[in-house]
């Protein structure tokens, strides 16, 4: 949930940290801080976003060629300056930044308090700084051939921690960064001017594309002479260097006001890129589905909706039953897993803790796992037995838009592969290019802006659909609620009479998603809404008399979930703008939910 950034090299660290943290801000942003090492340790931290804090804290005046920086999304402890990172030891000589959750922090803190340590925050993270200090003071960190006493004190501290943690540690008088990653994302960038650390690659792309994706439990020591990698027993290891395909522009807004609009607009291309797969791998996965005894799709949020859509496609097109389970609920199904079960784990970020926990549970039971993610080098990209990458490019906006439609396309590709004709899917997706181009055009945006103006003051919005249009309604409702803060709920059209119809009163807006293959029933649901005074907004390729407003979309059959999601993404964006909200950083949310 938080953003981590570190630099050690030939240049002054603080300007680099400030730029890196700005690039990371989308990951979590209620407070920010840096620590740099010159003749002494300098800490500058406070509540607020980077731009505000940069001036107020004069971040770029901090001195030293070694520095660590952090943007915080609060999990343990309220949003205060004391709780923001970096955290220090009793003597302010050691500073750490942390992303994740320390599960055994209470017992460690209790022991350290008894040993006289004084804490200044209510966070779990602060125990790491005091633990390193304690290891140093009781000579637990004695220097040895392959490491200084500080390095050993850090390693001993990291080895004692339980939970999820990516940590960077620095110390006054030491020109180095000691780092560890366990179940939280951390990557290393190698550049001419030094070594970079970050939660993912985008923040340091402007300096280097040479990246080391750390293995879980890896330890790293970087100083001005270079960088060394170690396993969890502190034995030196080699790690391969990869080259990032993305360029910085892709990770930046271009000429769009917000990442959300940029990423919505990219979908004409990104759904094509989702089809660019190693067909041998797709075929292999299709055969695993056929031979599997039980198939589970697990995911969260929008990725879950893509899986739900996929399950309808598997049923309708491939005549196959698959289970779809929210990753956070997967523990209730684990006892069904065997070594013949096939589990698909779908996650844009590849770092969603609920998904990773489910994957590890599946692996413990011998099940095979197929990872579908957008981030090469993410935990999920390395923990599955098979990997399909979404190729959507960096998605910076907290809302999933282009990655959702890419996931749906990949479901369709798997289904077509099961039918023995993946190329059919590729060609049909190619045919959507102009449709999507038109749906994200300025004229379409103007029409949706008008509708957004009419809806911006509403307290409740409902959405209904049947079959693939029901899963589309679920996804559309999530987009609207998470970016406009309007209570928005989706129902299966057939469920209206079983309760939700009681919610409809004069003027209640209800979106109705229609496709040719189930139009009669959903239109009669729309009439039920209309009869109670509801305001019906049709999403379909034809205009029905029951509609008060109509969003015209082409009927694309099984690919309707792709096409019908896009105007809803644009509408959600326009609602946020109407309400003067930041569509890229909705309140209380983060791009990657890396805590359980
Ligand atoms: C979707 O707009 C939200 N950002 C959220 O529901 C997201 O889909 C969910 O957190 C899953 O993220 P993941 O795909 O990275 O696992």
């Amino acid at each position: 949930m938080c953003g981590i950034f570190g630099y050690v090299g030939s240049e002054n660290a603080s300007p680099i940290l400030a730029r890196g943290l700005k690039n990371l801000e989308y990951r979590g942003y209620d407070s920010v801080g840096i620590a740099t090492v010159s003749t002494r340790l300098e800490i500058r931290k406070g509540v607020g976003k980077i731009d505000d804090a940069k001036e107020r804290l004069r971040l770029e005046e901090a001195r030293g060629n070694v520095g660590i920086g952090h943007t915080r999304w609060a999990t343990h402890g309220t949003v205060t300056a004391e709780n923001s990172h970096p955290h220090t030891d009793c003597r302010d000589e050691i500073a750490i930044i942390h992303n994740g959750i320390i599960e055994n922090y209470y017992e460690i803190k209790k022991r350290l308090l008894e040993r006289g340590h004084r804490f200044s925050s209510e966070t779990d993270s602060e125990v790491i700084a005091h633990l390193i200090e304690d290891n140093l003071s009781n000579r637990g960190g004695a220097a040895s051939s392959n490491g200084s006493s500080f390095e050993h004190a850090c390693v001993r501290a990291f080895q004692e921690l339980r939970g999820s943690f990516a940590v960077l540690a620095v110390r006054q008088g030491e020109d180095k960064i000691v780092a560890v990653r366990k179940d939280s994302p951390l990557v290393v960038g190698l550049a001419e001017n030094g070594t970079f650390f970050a939660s993912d690659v985008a923040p340091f792309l402007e300096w280097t594309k040479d990246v080391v994706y750390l293995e879980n439990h890896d330890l790293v020591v970087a100083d001005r002479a270079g960088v060394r990698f170690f396993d969890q027993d502190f034995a030196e290891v080699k790690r391969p260097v990869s080259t990032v395909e993305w360029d910085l522009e892709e990770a930046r807004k271009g000429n769009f006001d917000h990442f959300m609009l940029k990423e919505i607009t990219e979908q004409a291309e990104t759904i094509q890129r989702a089809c660019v797969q190693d067909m041998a791998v797709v075929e292999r996965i299709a055969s695993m589905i056929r031979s599997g005894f039980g198939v589970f799709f697990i995911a969260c949020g929008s990725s879950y909706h893509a899986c739900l859509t996929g399950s309808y496609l598997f049923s309708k097109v491939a005549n196959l039953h698959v289970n779809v389970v929210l990753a956070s609920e997967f523990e209730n199904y684990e006892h069904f897993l065997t070594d013949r079960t096939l589990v698909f784990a779908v996650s844009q970020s590849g770092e969603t803790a609920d998904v990773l926990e489910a994957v590890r549970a599946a692996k413990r039971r011998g099940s095979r796992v197929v990872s579908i993610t957008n981030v090469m080098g993410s935990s999920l990209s390395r923990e599955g037995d098979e990997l399909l990458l979404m190729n959507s490019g960096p998605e910076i906006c907290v809302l999933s838009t282009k990655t959702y439609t890419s996931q749906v396309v990949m479901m369709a590709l798997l289904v077509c592969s099961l039918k023995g004709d993946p190329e059919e899917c590729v060609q049909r997706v190619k045919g959507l290019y102009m449709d999507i181009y038109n749906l994200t055009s300025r004229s379409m945006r103007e029409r949706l802006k008008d509708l957004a103006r009419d809806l911006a003051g509403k307290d409740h919005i409902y959405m209904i659909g049947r079959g693939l249009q029901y899963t589309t309604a679920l996804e559309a409702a999530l987009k609207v609620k998470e970016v406009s803060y309007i209570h928005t709920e989706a129902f299966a059209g057939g469920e209206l009479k079983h309760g939700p119809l009681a919610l409809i009163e004069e003027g209640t807006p209800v979106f109705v998603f229609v496709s040719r293959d189930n139009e009669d029933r959903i239109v009669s649901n729309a009439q039920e809404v209309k009869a109670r005074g509801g305001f019906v907004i049709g999403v379909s390729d034809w205009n029905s008399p029951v509609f008060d407003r109509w969003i015209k979309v082409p009927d694309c059959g099984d690919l309707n979930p792709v096409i019908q999601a896009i105007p809803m993404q644009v509408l959600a964006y326009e609602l946020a703008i109407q309400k003067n909200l930041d569509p890229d950083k909705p309140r209380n949310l983060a791009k990657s939910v890396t805590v359980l």
Side-chain angles (χ1 to χ4, degrees):
M1 307 287 256
C2 306
I4 276 189
F5 193 86
Y7 169 77
V8 50
S10 56
E11 298 188 35
N12 187 22
S14 54
I16 292 176
L17 295 179
R19 271 165 52 192
L21 289 177
K22 179 65 187 163
N23 296 339
L24 256 180
E25 193 183 17
Y26 69 89
R27 286 180 60 88
Y29 45 90
D30 48 45
S31 52
V32 64
I34 68 169
T36 57
V37 179
S38 55
T39 50
R40 62 185 181 82
L41 183 69
E42 272 190 76
I43 305 285
R44 295 169 189 247
K45 67 179 188 176
V47 172
K49 301 190 177 180
I50 301 282
D51 294 336
D52 319 330
K54 198 161 108 175
E55 302 315 317
R56 186 161 32 85
L57 302 170
R58 303 203 307 276
L59 293 182
E60 296 182 320
E61 292 176 18
R63 294 181 310 286
N65 290 15
V66 185
I68 58 179
H70 188 271
T71 54
R72 180 175 185 243
W73 184 90
T75 48
H76 270 76
T78 50
V79 178
T80 62
E82 294 73 20
N83 287 338
S84 59
H85 299 217
H87 290 293
T88 56
D89 66 322
C90 302
R91 288 179 291 189
D92 289 343
E93 290 179 359
I94 296 166
I96 64 97
I97 55 175
H98 165 233
N99 180 23
I101 286 187
I102 307 299
E103 290 167 358
N104 59 336
Y105 88 94
Y106 185 74
E107 62 198 69
I108 294 173
K109 184 167 182 175
K110 188 163 172 290
R111 185 180 89 228
L112 293 172
L113 283 167
E114 286 161 3
R115 292 171 60 85
H117 288 262
R118 297 176 314 286
F119 287 77
S120 55
S121 82
E122 50 192 21
T123 68
D124 56 336
S125 308
E126 188 184 353
V127 298
I128 303 170
H130 293 277
L131 195 51
I132 294 170
E133 176 190 21
D134 202 60
N135 288 344
L136 275 169
S137 63
N138 66 14
R139 285 172 294 288
S144 73
S145 57
N146 76 338
S148 71
S149 56
F150 174 54
E151 292 164 18
H152 274 271
C154 291
V155 171
R156 277 163 54 85
F158 300 154
Q159 289 168 339
E160 185 174 349
L161 301 179
R162 283 203 309 280
S164 59
F165 45 94
V167 178
L168 302 186
V170 293
R171 182 190 186 199
Q172 185 161 297
E174 305 256 3
D175 250 359
K176 66 182 68 169
I177 293 175
V178 183
V180 66
R181 87 159 284 250
K182 179 195 175 279
D183 298 347
S184 264
L186 186 64
V187 291
V188 178
L190 309 177
E192 287 297 313
N193 65 341
T195 301
F196 292 79
F197 294 84
S199 303
D200 60 31
V201 296
F204 55 60
L205 271 185
E206 64 184 278
W207 291 284
T208 183
K209 290 190 170 188
D210 293 336
V211 173
V212 174
Y213 296 106
L214 298 177
E215 297 297 329
N216 219 13
H217 300 282
D218 271 2
L219 296 152
V220 188
V221 177
D223 56 23
R224 296 174 67 169
V227 56
R228 291 175 293 147
F229 302 93
F230 303 87
D231 66 17
Q232 55 189 334
D233 301 321
F234 207 35
E236 191 150 2
V237 294
K238 292 285 177 228
R239 288 289 177 252
V241 181
S242 310
T243 303
V244 177
E245 301 303 317
W246 303 337
D247 59 41
L248 187 57
E249 268 326 291
E250 280 192 293
R252 284 219 169 123
K253 270 185 277 199
N255 56 1
F256 291 94
D257 293 339
H258 299 97
F259 282 111
M260 183 171 179
L261 196 55
K262 170 176 178 279
E263 290 152 9
I264 288 171
T265 310
E266 289 172 345
Q267 291 178 101
E269 282 85 23
T270 51
I271 62 167
Q272 315 296 333
R273 293 189 343 217
C275 292
V276 179
Q277 301 292 340
D278 177 342
M279 286 307 170
V281 174
V282 175
E283 282 304 319
R284 188 162 65 239
I285 292 170
S287 66
M288 288 163 76
I289 295 175
R290 286 191 202 93
S291 60
F293 185 73
V295 180
F296 282 87
F297 280 82
I298 54 163
C300 305
S302 286
S303 298
Y304 172 75
H305 296 149
C307 293
L308 214 47
T309 300
S311 69
Y312 280 79
L313 292 172
F314 274 100
S315 170
K316 238 169 94 149
V317 181
N319 193 31
L320 195 86
H321 171 256
V322 298
N323 306 288
V324 184
V325 180
L326 285 168
S328 55
E329 292 295 313
F330 191 59
E331 62 185 338
N332 301 299
Y333 296 83
E334 278 176 36
H335 54 283
F336 292 124
L337 299 181
T338 70
D339 57 3
R340 293 184 58 204
T341 310
L342 182 61
V343 174
F344 283 85
V346 182
S347 168
Q348 184 283 130
S349 62
E351 298 297 348
T352 298
D354 289 321
V355 172
L356 295 176
E357 183 168 71
V359 164
R360 288 157 194 163
K363 307 275 286 184
R364 282 195 298 271
R365 290 178 179 269
S367 303
R368 286 175 302 168
V369 174
V370 177
S371 300
I372 298 181
T373 185
N374 190 40
V375 181
M376 165 59 95
S378 63
S379 302
L380 182 61
S381 72
R382 279 121 27 105
E383 297 190 22
D385 302 298
E386 295 287 353
L387 171 63
L388 289 176
L389 287 172
M390 299 154 61
N391 308 321
S392 303
E395 185 173 69
I396 306 301
C397 174
V398 164
L399 279 80
S400 303
T401 50
K402 63 178 181 175
T403 56
Y404 168 74
T405 50
S406 291
Q407 289 168 347
V408 173
V409 163
M410 292 174 80
M411 299 291 162
L413 188 64
L414 284 169
V415 166
C416 288
S417 303
L418 277 168
K419 282 182 18 187
D421 185 10
E423 194 52 31
E424 178 212 345
C425 176
V426 176
Q427 293 312 315
R428 289 187 56 205
V429 169
K430 274 201 178 80
L432 298 183
Y433 186 90
M434 281 316 294
D435 293 324
I436 295 180
Y437 181 82
N438 295 331
L439 287 173
T440 54
S441 66
R442 190 166 292 283
S443 58
M444 185 64 171
R445 272 189 56 202
E446 285 308 312
R447 286 202 295 281
L448 291 169
K449 197 177 288 187
D450 289 342
L451 180 56
R453 207 170 287 125
D454 297 343
L455 296 177
K458 295 292 182 183
D459 295 323
H460 307 283
I461 296 176
Y462 300 111
M463 302 187 171
I464 62 172
R466 287 173 174 261
L468 290 171
Q469 282 62 232
Y470 165 51
T471 59
T472 302
L474 288 169
E475 172 60 12
L478 176 60
K479 290 294 89 76
V480 169
K481 78 178 78 169
E482 67 178 328
V483 81
S484 71
Y485 313 157
I486 297 173
H487 167 243
T488 311
E489 207 170 337
F491 309 108
E495 273 299 287
L496 267 181
K497 292 189 286 295
H498 299 288
L501 204 55
L503 296 169
I504 307 303
E505 50 195 17
E506 190 59 33
T508 303
V510 178
F511 285 79
V512 182
F513 294 85
V514 184
S515 82
R516 289 285 182 189
D517 62 6
N518 64 16
E519 56 188 301
D520 298 343
R521 288 193 171 185
I522 197 67
V523 170
S524 70
N525 293 146
Q527 280 152 354
E528 291 159 12
V529 167
K530 191 91 174 185
R532 277 90 183 162
F535 182 77
V536 176
I537 303 143
V539 181
S540 72
D541 72 332
W542 53 272
N543 194 359
S544 159
V546 77
F547 298 160
D548 296 295
R549 299 289 280 273
W550 174 38
I551 299 175
K552 178 173 173 44
V553 292
D555 191 287
C556 300
D558 298 338
L559 292 179
N560 273 344
V562 172
I563 280 297
Q564 294 187 346
I566 291 172
M568 300 311 293
Q569 296 166 352
V570 177
L571 175 70
Y573 173 79
E574 294 299 345
L575 277 168
I577 300 304
Q578 287 286 330
K579 298 184 72 173
N580 293 317
L581 299 172
D582 181 346
D584 288 336
K585 305 186 197 86
R587 68 185 178 195
N588 308 337
L589 302 180
K591 182 59 182 172
S592 180
V593 184
T594 56
V595 290
L596 293 175

